[in-house]
Amino acid sequence: MISEFTRTAVPQLVGHELEFSKSQHEEKFHSLHEAESVIREELEELEEQAEVCRKLFEDLHSDTRQDDKDGAVINAKYLAGSAEYAAYEAIQLAAMCLKLVEMAGREDEV
């Protein structure tokens, strides 16, 4: 279960990342193809980080099976850091998807 704070904070973080992207790059994508490419890149980065998390969990699982508390704690620490990085990637992915949605919305207004 996700806390109400997190449920509220994540959309705010996505919105902030979207605004940051627009300030660092262009306000909108140059084309649908560019949008798709950027979104694919963010998805691939998220998938890579999720794979790191999976491998770290496998190590933690192995440590648990061997009753190696110290090893499990170390792997849990690394897994927490990796999961945070995966959250960053997921936020960037969501922001780039919203950037495409905004681009499509502006074109409909013209």
Side-chain angles (χ1 to χ4, degrees):
M1 176 183 258
I2 295 285
S3 73
E4 191 59 34
F5 176 84
T6 302
R7 194 175 305 280
T8 302
V10 169
Q12 292 175 357
L13 292 169
V14 171
H16 177 76
E17 188 64 28
L18 173 59
E19 293 307 313
F20 179 75
S21 169
K22 290 191 285 187
S23 74
Q24 295 296 305
H25 305 287
E26 298 291 324
E27 183 74 16
K28 64 179 190 170
F29 293 114
H30 293 103
S31 68
L32 182 58
H33 294 285
E34 179 189 26
E36 186 263 349
S37 178
V38 170
I39 290 168
R40 176 188 294 121
E41 180 181 341
E42 295 303 339
L43 179 58
E44 288 171 353
E45 290 172 358
L46 174 58
E47 289 172 333
E48 289 169 7
Q49 201 57 42
E51 183 60 29
V52 170
C53 287
R54 181 163 308 284
K55 288 177 182 176
L56 287 166
F57 176 77
E58 289 171 4
D59 291 344
L60 185 148
H61 176 73
S62 178
D63 292 335
T64 301
R65 291 283 185 211
Q66 296 173 20
D67 214 18
D68 179 2
K69 182 179 177 182
D70 292 338
V73 168
I74 289 168
N75 281 305
K77 177 182 173 186
Y78 289 134
L79 179 55
S82 187
E84 274 189 36
Y85 192 78
Y88 303 156
E89 297 298 343
I91 288 167
Q92 288 180 319
L93 173 61
M96 294 305 97
C97 290
L98 291 179
K99 191 171 182 177
L100 172 57
V101 169
E102 281 187 3
M103 182 179 101
R106 287 194 184 114
E107 288 174 358
D108 292 342
E109 294 171 7
V110 175

